[in-house]
Amino acid sequence: MQVLRQGGIVAFPTETYYGLAVDPDNEASLQRLFQIKKRPAGKPLLLLIHDISQLDGLVSAVPDVYRPLIEKCWPGPLTLIFPAQPHLSAWLTGGTGTVGVRISPRPEARALGRIFGKAVTATSANLSDQPPARFASEVSISFGSAVDYILDGGMTPGGRCSTVIGLRDGKFCLLRPGAITVEGVEF
């Protein structure tokens, strides 16, 4: 996708809401994304991958306890927090040394990553502290020309955002309840 390669911002539908994609290796694009969302600096951004093999370039380890969740819940609205590769921008990690990753089941979201050839950001398409967009028209109203391209996939389901799970002392930690519940996981 040429827009992403040129440092642009693309809005696209996911399994929950519209997201905003930029090239996670482009510092200027990441900064611009924070600016247009009015997102507080230091708040991490999650990444969407289209294939599990892409984890290798983003995370320094895949905890064994995540493997059953990955097999059962990906693609799906489950974001897992991994130890980040050291080259990832602090704009992505929020300075935490970790990165959130998921695989979307939405065909448009997976195609975007596949065509771009690597992970993309997937922060919700909204101004910070405002409801996320369910329609392409809502993205346009919120951001106008600040978003360079809107991939209109019609209405998204809305509801809850992705569930976010991390690890604390080797045990699962529910960081954000969301669209799916994970049975058999003790927090």
Side-chain angles (χ1 to χ4, degrees):
M1 156 100 8
Q2 197 63 23
V3 173
L4 292 172
R5 287 184 187 93
Q6 293 175 345
I9 298 173
V10 174
F12 65 100
T14 75
E15 70 278 15
T16 54
Y17 293 96
Y18 274 78
L20 296 175
V22 301
D23 178 348
D25 296 323
N26 185 321
E27 290 286 314
S29 295
L30 291 167
Q31 290 175 24
R32 184 170 162 231
L33 181 59
F34 271 79
Q35 286 176 328
I36 72 160
K37 278 188 58 98
K38 298 183 172 128
R39 187 178 179 92
K43 189 172 180 182
L45 293 173
L46 73 87
L47 295 174
L48 275 189
I49 58 175
H50 69 274
D51 185 85
I52 196 162
S53 66
Q54 293 179 293
L55 280 176
D56 291 341
L58 303 171
V59 307
S60 61
V62 177
D64 287 336
V65 296
Y66 279 174
R67 294 193 189 281
L69 292 177
I70 289 169
E71 290 174 17
K72 181 178 180 181
C73 300
W74 280 5
L78 174 66
T79 300
L80 296 173
I81 306 300
F82 295 91
Q85 286 279 356
H87 69 83
L88 291 184
S89 170
W91 289 101
L92 290 174
T93 66
T96 64
T98 62
V99 63
V101 181
R102 82 171 192 267
I103 298 177
S104 175
R106 184 79 183 225
E108 298 93 336
R110 299 214 31 209
L112 179 66
R114 198 170 34 258
I115 292 166
F116 186 51
K118 62 181 182 178
V120 296
T121 63
T123 184
S124 57
N126 62 304
L127 298 172
S128 287
D129 298 324
Q130 297 296 314
R134 290 184 61 205
F135 298 90
S137 60
E138 292 173 339
V139 176
S140 185
I141 290 167
S142 292
F143 296 106
S145 63
V147 170
D148 301 298
Y149 185 82
I150 299 174
L151 177 61
D152 190 341
M155 183 179 81
T156 60
R160 300 177 85 180
C161 293
S162 68
T163 301
V164 180
I165 294 178
L167 292 177
R168 187 171 292 139
D169 299 324
K171 295 185 179 185
F172 291 116
C173 178
L174 182 64
L175 300 172
R176 180 179 74 192
I180 64 169
T181 57
V182 185
E183 294 178 26
V185 174
E186 290 186 35
F187 296 102

